[in-house]
Amino acid sequence: QTEIPQTNTHTKRLTHLPPLLPPLLSSLTQTSPPPFFQSSQNKPITAAMPEAPKPTQTSNGLTTIAIAEKNKRTLQFIEDVTSNPDDVQTQVLHEILSRNSAVEYLHHRHRLHGATDRRTFKKLLPVISYEDIHPDITRIANGDTSPILCSSPISEFLTSSGTSAGERKLMPTIAEEMERRSLLYSLLMPVMSQFVPGLEKGKGMYFLFIKSESKTPGGLPARPVLTSYYKSSHFKNRPFDPYTNYTSPNETILCPDSYQSMYSQLLCGLCQRTQVLRVGAVFASGFIRAIRFLEKHWQLLCRDIRSGTLDPTVITDPAVREAVLTKVLHRPDPELADFVESECRKDSWQGIITRLWPNTKYVDVIVTGTMSQYIPTLDFYSNGLPLVCTMYASSECYFGVNLNPLCKPSEVAYTLIPTMAYFEFLPVHRNNNNGSLNEKERQELVDLADVKLGHEYELVVTTYAGLYRYRVGDVLRVAGFKNRAPQFNFICRKNVVLSIDSDKTDEVELQGAVKNAVDAHLVAFGGSVAEYTSYADTKTTIPGHYVLYWELSVKGTTAIPPSVYEDCCLTVEESLNSVYRQGRVSDKSIGPLEIKIVEQGTFDKLMDYAISLGASINQYKTPRCVKFEPIVELLNSRVEGSYFSPKCPKWVPGHKQWSNNVKN
Ligand code: AMP
């Protein structure tokens, strides 16, 4: 149990409260209760997460009784924190502010002077976006270790898929946050087990990957939150637990080569196919990528299964070789190879998941937000197995869980866990922008316990790791309540128009990229783009790709050769943010960008169509991104030429200004 550093006498008064740190994953062997409080008198909840039962070990884990008991306690924890969300939130804010009372941001810049109450906090602290703390982040990244945002040392930066000036945002984190993330993970399977019993009797086939990481000039690691998690001892050294018993040995997940990682994880999943009870990945796009990989490489995989060896030219990573050969691929299995081959050879891949992994009960992937575009593909491959979205999280903070995981994807609602951070909600108005809020708008922020059913809000968080009233950029709608805690539908990420994987491209970036391409290549031919729109095409290619529809206005007389349009494609890609380019270059999760030149008058037709559907002629603006199928069909029916990016754009790990220390 890690002790939380106490910063002042005010904090010391609270040391009788329950320890802050949660159990490891869903480990049944840990005894630490998570942090939360029962009442406004700050009395600890002693009943909510009682002592863990003495685990009754069996040869391969724990008895069903022990599992049921642990699940019961976890569910009781959820009951408790959702019954008094406001008290828990008061306490969380108090704790964050008292621990960090002396940090530069709170004490000197915003003159909080040790206050820990909501009123003073809301009065003195501005609601901010990343740009507001960018200078602080840069100081920390450059090696300033003074307490700028947080009294605990910043242990690393988590690189968000949200970008600022084309580069990943850097979210500060502290060592203890890992425990909070683990707490959220530990809630998932007890919730799931209420709806799908018996999951402890088999394995999960999850495709999990690490990404490359870099170091800031000051020497702090900068990497995605999941990479940080999988490389941590919380994940690597987790005690045996049937709920974190995966078909992929750790070494295959931790392999920096994404091809070898995917290959070995699929191989292990196939070898253990009858034990698999659930399959998944973090996002739907990642899971579909795995199926696509199987479509391309099943022959190689079958060859290894048949011979009981690993092709040394395919799997060169010694740790992966050793793990797969000693833990999974014990012997030649021609029968399994024949079976996999016969299934993969079939013309249709409909239901391939249930055919190859016949005991699968559900597909565990996020299909909310932009990932909903993958639902039809997942339904096809899984023959309509339930698609389960278990959690909602970010690099800033992990937020909440879905307490009704078998619901339809369109009805998924996440219950924010009030111990994770202090949450506020900015009502969404049409004119809300990303700029700073005026006094009146600041007054409008409401607390977790005060949001209204059916209303939409932008999420604002205050974290233990140094973010205060920070706008995450997600829009949520209140869908209902669990006890007194609200449950939210994820509506969208603000401003994002295009997304295939974890990339998020907004309208301004897209506009800039189109302009760069036109200036660099079309102007010389007297060409310009009169109108354009875009589409994230995840239907005709796997991985999906961005499509730009351009209607040109050409004054020159020389015909524009195809290579010029291809150059335009590449320039657009080069101009997009680093997460997009990483998806193209390193993750291979995004296909080459396509420009489709459409006939003159196409965008007039688009307007006519929108007006026929009820749009106002005066207010009509060309949408910069289209999703509605009939509109995409209209555009596609008028394409005169189609061009793809001829190669990958440039991308290097880390921020472009750090040339140092890139490692896997
Ligand atoms: P990152 O900062 O890269 O960790 O990405 C976090 C963002 O991913 C969130 O702020 C959301 O926009 C999105 N996200 C995370 N979980 C979900 C979910 N369950 N459903 C929809 N979007 C999600």
Side-chain angles (χ1 to χ4, degrees):
Q1 194 81 97
T2 312
E3 278 297 310
I4 303 305
Q6 306 296 326
T7 50
N8 62 19
T9 48
H10 205 159
T11 319
K12 287 220 176 72
R13 206 163 52 77
L14 297 173
T15 50
H16 66 283
L17 293 170
L20 194 86
L21 304 174
L24 289 179
L25 295 167
S26 55
S27 163
L28 296 158
T29 53
Q30 302 295 309
T31 56
S32 47
F36 58 91
F37 308 89
Q38 179 129 50
S39 70
S40 47
Q41 287 89 46
N42 291 341
K43 292 227 183 73
I45 295 178
T46 46
M49 203 76 169
E51 283 291 292
K54 298 288 165 280
T56 331
Q57 290 281 352
T58 59
S59 56
N60 65 347
L62 297 137
T63 64
T64 314
I65 297 168
I67 293 166
E69 181 56 31
K70 167 68 173 39
N71 289 353
K72 211 170 104 196
R73 284 185 298 118
T74 300
L75 296 174
Q76 187 58 46
F77 165 77
I78 295 173
E79 284 298 322
D80 291 334
V81 292
T82 54
S83 298
N84 324 279
D86 206 44
D87 289 346
V88 177
Q89 286 278 278
T90 303
Q91 198 55 45
V92 165
L93 182 65
H94 170 86
E95 209 169 15
I96 293 173
L97 295 182
S98 53
R99 280 204 222 164
N100 295 304
S101 61
V103 304
E104 186 180 319
Y105 186 82
L106 292 181
H107 190 77
H108 300 288
R109 204 167 314 159
H110 296 296
R111 311 213 168 267
L112 208 57
H113 295 316
T116 62
D117 63 291
R118 282 188 210 197
R119 249 189 81 223
T120 317
F121 173 72
K122 286 177 186 254
K123 196 162 144 235
L124 296 179
L125 269 283
V127 178
I128 59 160
S129 299
Y130 187 76
E131 278 61 37
D132 297 300
I133 48 166
H134 193 220
D136 299 307
I137 299 286
T138 306
R139 272 172 67 194
I140 300 168
N142 286 341
D144 188 337
T145 55
S146 64
I148 300 172
L149 297 172
C150 187
S151 59
S152 306
I154 301 299
S155 53
E156 59 183 306
F157 280 111
L158 302 177
T159 54
S160 166
S161 57
T163 53
S164 161
E167 296 294 326
R168 285 174 178 270
K169 291 177 184 167
L170 300 174
M171 295 301 160
T173 194
I174 55 177
E176 142 203 334
E177 274 298 287
M178 192 66 86
E179 317 285 339
R180 229 166 254 111
R181 282 177 220 130
S182 300
L183 166 74
L184 205 85
Y185 286 127
S186 77
L187 307 180
L188 304 180
M189 290 308 286
V191 169
M192 199 64 219
S193 300
Q194 297 174 104
F195 302 90
V196 185
L199 291 170
E200 69 284 355
K201 301 199 177 87
K203 294 193 176 190
M205 180 179 71
Y206 283 84
F207 300 106
L208 306 175
F209 302 92
I210 56 162
K211 290 193 180 185
S212 63
E213 61 181 81
S214 56
K215 280 226 150 97
T216 68
L220 287 173
R223 53 192 179 179
V225 61
L226 290 173
T227 300
S228 163
Y229 186 69
Y230 300 144
K231 286 185 171 179
S232 75
S233 60
H234 283 77
F235 181 79
K236 284 197 297 195
N237 305 329
R238 61 194 187 277
F240 176 81
D241 181 329
Y243 289 154
T244 56
N245 189 7
Y246 303 129
T247 52
S248 300
N250 289 353
E251 293 80 355
T252 62
I253 295 171
L254 294 168
C255 174
D257 179 309
S258 59
Y259 181 92
Q260 293 187 51
S261 178
M262 179 72 93
Y263 184 96
S264 55
Q265 292 195 51
L266 267 167
L267 185 73
C268 294
L270 288 168
C271 290
Q272 301 168 80
R273 69 184 203 95
T274 53
Q275 295 174 60
V276 170
L277 300 185
R278 52 199 167 106
V279 299
V282 179
F283 288 110
S285 51
F287 189 75
I288 289 172
R289 207 157 59 245
I291 303 300
R292 178 74 187 137
F293 188 99
L294 182 63
E295 263 184 285
K296 267 191 173 157
H297 301 292
W298 59 264
Q299 274 142 324
L300 270 183
L301 287 158
C302 286
R303 209 174 61 191
D304 282 351
I305 295 171
R306 188 176 303 284
S307 65
T309 56
L310 279 172
D311 184 333
T313 61
V314 178
I315 302 294
T316 53
D317 183 316
V320 175
R321 291 189 66 81
E322 155 124 23
V324 174
L325 291 170
T326 57
K327 295 180 189 164
V328 182
L329 192 63
H330 297 297
R331 58 181 176 85
D333 195 342
E335 220 175 291
L336 175 62
D338 285 344
F339 174 77
V340 174
E341 216 172 287
S342 69
E343 288 303 328
C344 294
R345 258 190 214 295
K346 289 186 179 151
D347 284 343
S348 169
W349 269 48
Q350 180 165 12
I352 194 74
I353 302 295
T354 40
R355 287 196 263 139
L356 292 177
W357 294 278
N359 300 319
T360 308
K361 308 254 187 304
Y362 62 91
V363 183
D364 184 348
V365 283
I366 290 177
V367 286
T368 40
T370 56
M371 290 293 152
S372 62
Q373 61 193 329
Y374 294 105
I375 292 172
T377 313
L378 287 171
D379 282 342
F380 175 83
Y381 285 135
S382 74
N383 256 350
L385 280 176
L387 303 177
V388 169
C389 297
T390 56
M391 64 187 274
Y392 169 42
S394 77
S395 315
E396 290 87 338
C397 167
Y398 278 23
F399 304 122
V401 296
N402 177 1
L403 296 179
N404 186 17
L406 291 187
C407 69
K408 284 196 267 174
S410 57
E411 286 164 12
V412 170
Y414 299 103
T415 305
L416 300 198
I417 299 299
T419 54
M420 299 305 290
Y422 176 63
F423 299 111
E424 292 177 275
F425 299 86
L426 176 63
V428 172
H429 303 306
R430 288 211 176 284
N431 57 356
N432 266 175
N433 52 27
N434 286 326
S436 32
L437 302 180
N438 62 33
E439 183 53 32
K440 182 167 164 284
E441 287 167 326
R442 266 166 55 184
Q443 302 282 332
E444 284 184 348
L445 260 72
V446 295
D447 281 316
L448 185 65
D450 298 328
V451 294
K452 301 228 163 16
L453 187 66
H455 287 217
E456 288 187 6
Y457 301 92
E458 193 186 325
L459 180 61
V460 174
V461 289
T462 295
T463 69
Y464 283 86
L467 300 176
Y468 305 94
R469 310 195 88 191
Y470 178 89
R471 293 171 77 170
V472 174
D474 290 343
V475 176
L476 310 176
R477 183 192 299 132
V478 183
F481 291 85
K482 162 71 179 174
N483 296 321
R484 288 160 63 194
Q487 303 182 298
F488 295 93
N489 298 135
F490 181 92
I491 301 300
C492 64
R493 177 97 177 179
K494 274 181 69 180
N495 304 327
V496 169
V497 287
L498 287 168
S499 174
I500 297 286
D501 190 26
S502 56
D503 52 303
K504 300 170 173 59
T505 297
D506 69 31
E507 216 173 298
V508 177
E509 281 177 310
L510 185 63
Q511 169 84 30
V514 170
K515 184 174 181 314
N516 287 349
V518 171
D519 289 351
H521 307 293
L522 286 191
V523 169
F525 290 87
S528 62
V529 172
E531 280 290 11
Y532 74 92
T533 192
S534 64
Y535 172 64
D537 183 354
T538 52
K539 299 213 165 66
T540 60
T541 58
I542 299 178
H545 68 289
Y546 288 10
V547 179
L548 305 186
Y549 293 91
W550 284 7
E551 186 173 319
L552 299 182
S553 140
V554 186
K555 295 205 181 74
T557 47
T558 322
I560 301 175
S563 65
V564 171
Y565 293 121
E566 288 173 5
D567 291 344
C568 287
C569 292
L570 187 59
T571 301
V572 170
E573 293 200 301
E574 295 283 9
S575 309
L576 293 176
N577 66 53
S578 139
V579 178
Y580 174 87
R581 286 178 284 114
Q582 181 171 6
R584 282 279 287 125
V585 176
S586 168
D587 305 345
K588 311 257 186 301
S589 57
I590 307 174
L593 182 138
E594 182 180 10
I595 291 178
K596 291 183 175 178
I597 306 296
V598 293
E599 286 167 29
Q600 295 296 310
T602 299
F603 279 80
D604 286 342
K605 285 260 179 298
L606 199 75
M607 180 170 74
D608 294 344
Y609 186 74
I611 289 165
S612 77
L613 293 179
S616 144
I617 192 155
N618 292 325
Q619 289 171 336
Y620 179 80
K621 281 206 287 308
T622 305
R624 288 301 172 220
C625 177
V626 294
K627 293 191 173 76
F628 188 47
E629 241 359 272
I631 291 199
V632 178
E633 277 167 26
L634 187 156
L635 289 163
N636 281 337
S637 71
R638 300 178 64 94
V639 171
E640 288 179 330
S642 150
Y643 309 91
F644 285 91
S645 198
K647 58 181 185 183
C648 280
K650 286 192 235 25
W651 172 80
V652 284
H655 276 209
K656 58 175 178 276
Q657 55 271 48
W658 315 335
S659 51
N660 60 343
N661 257 343
V662 171
K663 52 175 193 156
N664 277 312

